[in-house]
Amino acid sequence: AKINFPQETAVPVDMVWVIDNSSSMDDEAAHVRTNFASFINYIKDRADLKLALISQNGTSDTGVDLPFTSPNFLHILRKVESNDAPKLLASALCIEGANAPQPCKDNNVHGENDVDAKLVNFFRPTARKTFVFVTDDESTMSKQNFLDVARATLPGQSITISGFVGLGRSGNNNLPSPCQEKTGVQYQEMAAASSGSIFNVCDVDWQASFNKLAQQTVLDATRPV
């Protein structure tokens, strides 16, 4: 008799990229622009993807544009400064007003009108959440405070946090991250706490890192939430 093996069904993926647009990020923004379209195409051809980008727009300097226009893609236009990427994403996750989850109130995340609550109605409750930060600096919002907000606004949902960040350098600017402003300790801790991936923001070619992240995202989408 023929054996019928069950097919894996991809779980929807809701992804957010937050790009540091400060003046030291020219090369890093260029790496994102170079790899973004092929990265997105790889995932959306294999999984049910919705993707949001929080970044200053542009095709040069530190700006990044979304390579596609579709209801499944959302560009939240905002210049992201060196230290505030997690706080801006937290603001986008939190509803406003008295009914906001307590961690949103405790961390005072609102007050940025161009990002406040912008992701509340974009996400799907059945989708895996993947957040990717790109920055050469450190976050002023701690790993725990960001996770508290994410878990309160996305209760019971699978959350993975990855990043292209500074991995540290010695006093004479040797590897691993000679280009960094500060080591991204909070981002590394967020990734460790959520089974995410960390990549070196100072790598001269990001294609392999983008490929790894795309493949891991698709693999995760075939696993039950």
Side-chain angles (χ1 to χ4, degrees), residues 164-180:
F164 293 78
V165 302
L167 304 183
R169 64 184 181 188
S170 63
N172 61 0
N173 290 347
N174 284 336
L175 293 177
S177 296
C179 76
Q180 73 173 43

Side-chain angles (χ1 to χ4, degrees), residues 45-67:
D45 287 347
R46 295 163 176 81
D48 180 6
L49 175 68
K50 294 188 79 172
L51 185 143
L53 170 66
I54 302 176
S55 172
Q56 178 176 278
N57 66 329
T59 57
S60 63
D61 299 322
T62 65
V64 177
D65 284 338
L66 267 179

